[in-house]
Amino acid sequence: MKITAHRGLSSLAPENTLSAMQRAIEFGCEWIEIDVQLSADNIPMIIHDKTVNRCTNGQGKVKDLTWYELRLLDAGLWFGDDFAGEYIPTLEETLELTVNAGVKLNIELKIYSGDEVDLLCEKVAEVIERLAIKADAILFSSFNIEALMTMKNYLPEVRRGQLWQEIPDDFAIVLQQVDAYSVHCDYRFLNEEQAKRIKQFGYRLFCYTPNFPQLVASHWQWGVDMMITDTPQRYKVEELKAIRELALNE
Ligand code: G3P
Ligand code: MG
């Protein structure tokens, strides 16, 4: 499936938890997207928001809490009783699960105001080097150009994807600077002309976060390579329908 499970399979399990990763693996997603930021003791942790307030039973900024303080929080109960006991995983735990399962990991470097870009990149690179992760098993993405440039210095062989809500007119200059592999943009702001230009330049084009396949039926025709979605299951249904139609027409 040309699908990236956004924050794991986040419509069926609490986002960015190992349960969400496991479900994405079982669903046959080609990629999983996760968000990484540092704990107070500089451990790369998988969580989207600047604070733990929305997705755990705790309060406070991720960067003010140590790994141990974060580990004590429940990251599943907000989603449903079945997920009680789920915790915020580290990057290391997430990589071990996904890479061993043969699913590729899109690691979004989350930079909030006041974050130290270089420190996050250094700590992420350390984990990847320690686990000897092969370059083609992962990709870095970020809205923050500095983060991608820094990653290019630390781990030049790992692909980089530039995140934009809306692709800017000067996209070619930025993509060249970052030496990008891909562009990841909001499907709602993409048009056919932009998509074709990105593809003409030779970049992969990913769209986030279309949760209904019908919304992006034409985007595939424009050359989009991958949808980053909370609902891979809906795309699987569409895929099965297409296979059935083909079989019936033969
Ligand atoms: O990688 C696409 C998407 O994750 C970017 O936005 O806010 O969901 O991390 P966000
Ligand atoms: Mg993200």
Side-chain angles (χ1 to χ4, degrees):
M1 265 204 298
K2 292 282 171 202
I3 292 295
T4 297
H6 182 236
R7 310 180 193 174
L9 211 168
S10 58
S11 57
L12 298 181
E15 65 181 54
N16 281 324
T17 64
L18 294 180
S19 281
M21 310 307 155
Q22 190 58 48
R23 276 173 177 70
I25 292 164
E26 287 160 9
F27 243 87
C29 298
E30 188 175 341
W31 287 83
I32 295 174
E33 187 261 2
I34 57 168
D35 305 287
V36 67
Q37 44 182 318
L38 290 182
S39 64
D41 47 352
N42 297 328
I43 308 293
M45 304 297 296
I46 306 308
I47 180 165
H48 178 274
D49 295 3
K50 188 173 185 162
T51 73
V52 297
N53 303 3
R54 180 176 62 90
C55 291
T56 76
N57 57 351
Q59 292 275 314
K61 289 184 188 162
V62 174
K63 69 174 177 187
D64 291 341
L65 299 164
T66 62
W67 169 83
Y68 184 70
E69 288 167 327
L70 290 167
R71 180 51 57 105
L72 293 178
L73 302 179
D74 190 301
L77 266 178
W78 71 275
F79 192 87
D81 290 347
D82 291 351
F83 295 96
E86 201 73 50
Y87 53 82
I88 301 170
T90 61
L91 174 62
E92 182 162 343
E93 289 163 332
T94 308
L95 275 164
E96 277 171 348
L97 175 64
T98 55
V99 169
N100 285 337
V103 177
K104 288 176 267 189
L105 203 59
N106 169 350
I107 302 168
E108 183 186 341
L109 304 156
K110 266 288 171 232
I111 309 292
Y112 290 108
S113 58
D115 285 353
E116 289 178 68
V117 175
D118 190 73
L119 188 61
L120 174 66
C121 294
E122 181 194 335
K123 296 297 169 187
V124 166
E126 266 176 29
V127 171
I128 287 159
E129 282 178 332
R130 188 169 66 247
L131 297 180
I133 303 294
K134 290 198 181 120
D136 64 1
I138 55 175
L139 173 152
F140 295 123
S141 62
S142 190
F143 286 102
N144 188 292
I145 296 169
E146 192 190 334
L148 293 177
M149 304 275 280
T150 307
M151 269 309 179
K152 187 179 160 194
N153 288 334
Y154 279 118
L155 296 173
E157 67 283 6
V158 176
R159 294 167 285 184
R160 289 166 295 282
Q162 177 65 52
L163 270 162
W164 277 305
Q165 187 174 48
E166 193 170 357
I167 296 171
D169 292 340
D170 66 348
F171 72 83
I173 299 165
V174 177
L175 295 177
Q176 205 173 16
Q177 267 181 327
V178 167
D179 190 12
Y181 165 77
S182 51
V183 172
H184 308 188
C185 67
D186 187 327
Y187 78 96
R188 295 170 300 174
F189 296 96
L190 183 69
N191 62 45
E192 182 171 7
E193 192 193 322
Q194 285 171 328
K196 290 198 164 148
R197 284 196 70 205
I198 295 284
K199 297 298 298 180
Q200 274 162 9
F201 273 86
Y203 299 109
R204 300 295 164 98
L205 182 55
F206 298 1
C207 279
Y208 69 88
T209 318
N211 285 337
F212 292 92
Q214 298 80 353
L215 295 171
V216 283
S218 41
H219 291 55
W220 294 114
Q221 317 297 324
W222 302 342
V224 173
D225 298 288
M226 176 85 59
M227 300 300 168
I228 304 173
T229 177
D230 302 330
T231 57
Q233 66 274 29
R234 294 189 184 139
Y235 289 82
K236 194 158 197 172
V237 168
E238 291 298 305
E239 199 176 74
L240 291 173
K241 269 196 220 159
I243 292 169
R244 198 171 308 129
E245 268 168 35
L246 262 180
L248 286 172
N249 291 335
E250 266 176 14

PDB file of all heavy atoms in Angstrom, residues 22 25 29 61 84 105 142 193 238-239 250:
ATOM      1  N   GLN A  22       2.225  -1.081  15.789  1.00  0.00           N
ATOM      2  CA  GLN A  22       1.926  -2.490  15.551  1.00  0.00           C
ATOM      3  C   GLN A  22       0.755  -2.642  14.585  1.00  0.00           C
ATOM      4  O   GLN A  22       0.783  -3.466  13.665  1.00  0.00           O
ATOM      5  CB  GLN A  22       1.610  -3.166  16.900  1.00  0.00           C
ATOM      6  CG  GLN A  22       1.504  -4.667  16.841  1.00  0.00           C
ATOM      7  CD  GLN A  22       2.773  -5.341  16.326  1.00  0.00           C
ATOM      8  OE1 GLN A  22       3.874  -5.031  16.780  1.00  0.00           O
ATOM      9  NE2 GLN A  22       2.625  -6.231  15.350  1.00  0.00           N
ATOM     10  N   ILE A  25       1.810  -1.904  11.064  1.00  0.00           N
ATOM     11  CA  ILE A  25       2.593  -3.031  10.525  1.00  0.00           C
ATOM     12  C   ILE A  25       1.633  -4.120  10.047  1.00  0.00           C
ATOM     13  O   ILE A  25       1.741  -4.626   8.925  1.00  0.00           O
ATOM     14  CB  ILE A  25       3.561  -3.574  11.610  1.00  0.00           C
ATOM     15  CG1 ILE A  25       4.655  -2.544  11.910  1.00  0.00           C
ATOM     16  CG2 ILE A  25       4.158  -4.919  11.196  1.00  0.00           C
ATOM     17  CD1 ILE A  25       5.427  -2.782  13.204  1.00  0.00           C
ATOM     18  N   CYS A  29       1.108  -1.224   5.842  1.00  0.00           N
ATOM     19  CA  CYS A  29       1.525   0.110   5.395  1.00  0.00           C
ATOM     20  C   CYS A  29       3.003   0.063   5.006  1.00  0.00           C
ATOM     21  O   CYS A  29       3.788  -0.644   5.634  1.00  0.00           O
ATOM     22  CB  CYS A  29       1.331   1.138   6.506  1.00  0.00           C
ATOM     23  SG  CYS A  29      -0.390   1.290   6.992  1.00  0.00           S
ATOM     24  N   LYS A  61       5.287  20.525  29.678  1.00  0.00           N
ATOM     25  CA  LYS A  61       6.004  20.469  28.399  1.00  0.00           C
ATOM     26  C   LYS A  61       6.861  19.205  28.343  1.00  0.00           C
ATOM     27  O   LYS A  61       7.496  18.855  29.350  1.00  0.00           O
ATOM     28  CB  LYS A  61       6.918  21.684  28.256  1.00  0.00           C
ATOM     29  CG  LYS A  61       6.161  22.976  28.026  1.00  0.00           C
ATOM     30  CD  LYS A  61       7.149  24.118  27.804  1.00  0.00           C
ATOM     31  CE  LYS A  61       6.376  25.424  27.779  1.00  0.00           C
ATOM     32  NZ  LYS A  61       7.246  26.573  27.993  1.00  0.00           N
ATOM     33  N   ALA A  84      -5.193   1.281  28.129  1.00  0.00           N
ATOM     34  CA  ALA A  84      -4.613   1.680  29.421  1.00  0.00           C
ATOM     35  C   ALA A  84      -3.236   1.033  29.563  1.00  0.00           C
ATOM     36  O   ALA A  84      -3.043  -0.127  29.176  1.00  0.00           O
ATOM     37  CB  ALA A  84      -5.524   1.222  30.560  1.00  0.00           C
ATOM     38  N   LEU A 105      10.409   3.999   8.370  1.00  0.00           N
ATOM     39  CA  LEU A 105      10.000   4.996   9.348  1.00  0.00           C
ATOM     40  C   LEU A 105      10.337   6.416   8.867  1.00  0.00           C
ATOM     41  O   LEU A 105      11.484   6.721   8.559  1.00  0.00           O
ATOM     42  CB  LEU A 105      10.728   4.706  10.673  1.00  0.00           C
ATOM     43  CG  LEU A 105      10.086   5.249  11.932  1.00  0.00           C
ATOM     44  CD1 LEU A 105       8.678   4.716  12.135  1.00  0.00           C
ATOM     45  CD2 LEU A 105      10.938   4.908  13.152  1.00  0.00           C
ATOM     46  N   SER A 142      10.768  17.377   8.142  1.00  0.00           N
ATOM     47  CA  SER A 142      10.604  18.491   9.088  1.00  0.00           C
ATOM     48  C   SER A 142      10.064  19.709   8.357  1.00  0.00           C
ATOM     49  O   SER A 142      10.324  19.896   7.161  1.00  0.00           O
ATOM     50  CB  SER A 142      11.947  18.854   9.741  1.00  0.00           C
ATOM     51  OG  SER A 142      11.729  19.756  10.812  1.00  0.00           O
ATOM     52  N   GLU A 193      -0.734  21.742 -11.101  1.00  0.00           N
ATOM     53  CA  GLU A 193       0.463  22.365 -11.674  1.00  0.00           C
ATOM     54  C   GLU A 193       1.665  22.216 -10.723  1.00  0.00           C
ATOM     55  O   GLU A 193       2.763  21.831 -11.147  1.00  0.00           O
ATOM     56  CB  GLU A 193       0.159  23.841 -11.928  1.00  0.00           C
ATOM     57  CG  GLU A 193       1.203  24.518 -12.774  1.00  0.00           C
ATOM     58  CD  GLU A 193       1.043  26.031 -12.743  1.00  0.00           C
ATOM     59  OE1 GLU A 193      -0.099  26.512 -12.734  1.00  0.00           O
ATOM     60  OE2 GLU A 193       2.089  26.711 -12.688  1.00  0.00           O
ATOM     61  N   GLU A 238     -10.565   0.611  -0.603  1.00  0.00           N
ATOM     62  CA  GLU A 238     -10.569   1.109  -1.988  1.00  0.00           C
ATOM     63  C   GLU A 238      -9.706   0.220  -2.888  1.00  0.00           C
ATOM     64  O   GLU A 238     -10.071  -0.092  -4.015  1.00  0.00           O
ATOM     65  CB  GLU A 238     -10.014   2.547  -2.048  1.00  0.00           C
ATOM     66  CG  GLU A 238     -10.906   3.576  -1.417  1.00  0.00           C
ATOM     67  CD  GLU A 238     -12.266   3.701  -2.097  1.00  0.00           C
ATOM     68  OE1 GLU A 238     -12.290   3.928  -3.314  1.00  0.00           O
ATOM     69  OE2 GLU A 238     -13.296   3.540  -1.398  1.00  0.00           O
ATOM     70  N   GLU A 239      -8.553  -0.186  -2.345  1.00  0.00           N
ATOM     71  CA  GLU A 239      -7.633  -1.033  -3.112  1.00  0.00           C
ATOM     72  C   GLU A 239      -8.300  -2.368  -3.443  1.00  0.00           C
ATOM     73  O   GLU A 239      -8.246  -2.847  -4.579  1.00  0.00           O
ATOM     74  CB  GLU A 239      -6.389  -1.262  -2.253  1.00  0.00           C
ATOM     75  CG  GLU A 239      -5.171  -1.723  -3.002  1.00  0.00           C
ATOM     76  CD  GLU A 239      -3.975  -1.829  -2.040  1.00  0.00           C
ATOM     77  OE1 GLU A 239      -3.940  -2.780  -1.223  1.00  0.00           O
ATOM     78  OE2 GLU A 239      -3.096  -0.973  -2.095  1.00  0.00           O
ATOM     79  N   GLU A 250     -12.175  -8.870 -16.379  1.00  0.00           N
ATOM     80  CA  GLU A 250     -11.288  -9.738 -17.176  1.00  0.00           C
ATOM     81  C   GLU A 250     -12.068 -10.800 -17.940  1.00  0.00           C
ATOM     82  O   GLU A 250     -13.106 -11.256 -17.505  1.00  0.00           O
ATOM     83  CB  GLU A 250     -10.261 -10.400 -16.250  1.00  0.00           C
ATOM     84  CG  GLU A 250      -8.972  -9.590 -16.210  1.00  0.00           C
ATOM     85  CD  GLU A 250      -7.950 -10.150 -15.223  1.00  0.00           C
ATOM     86  OE1 GLU A 250      -8.117 -11.294 -14.765  1.00  0.00           O
ATOM     87  OE2 GLU A 250      -6.999  -9.418 -14.925  1.00  0.00           O
TER      88      GLU A 250
END
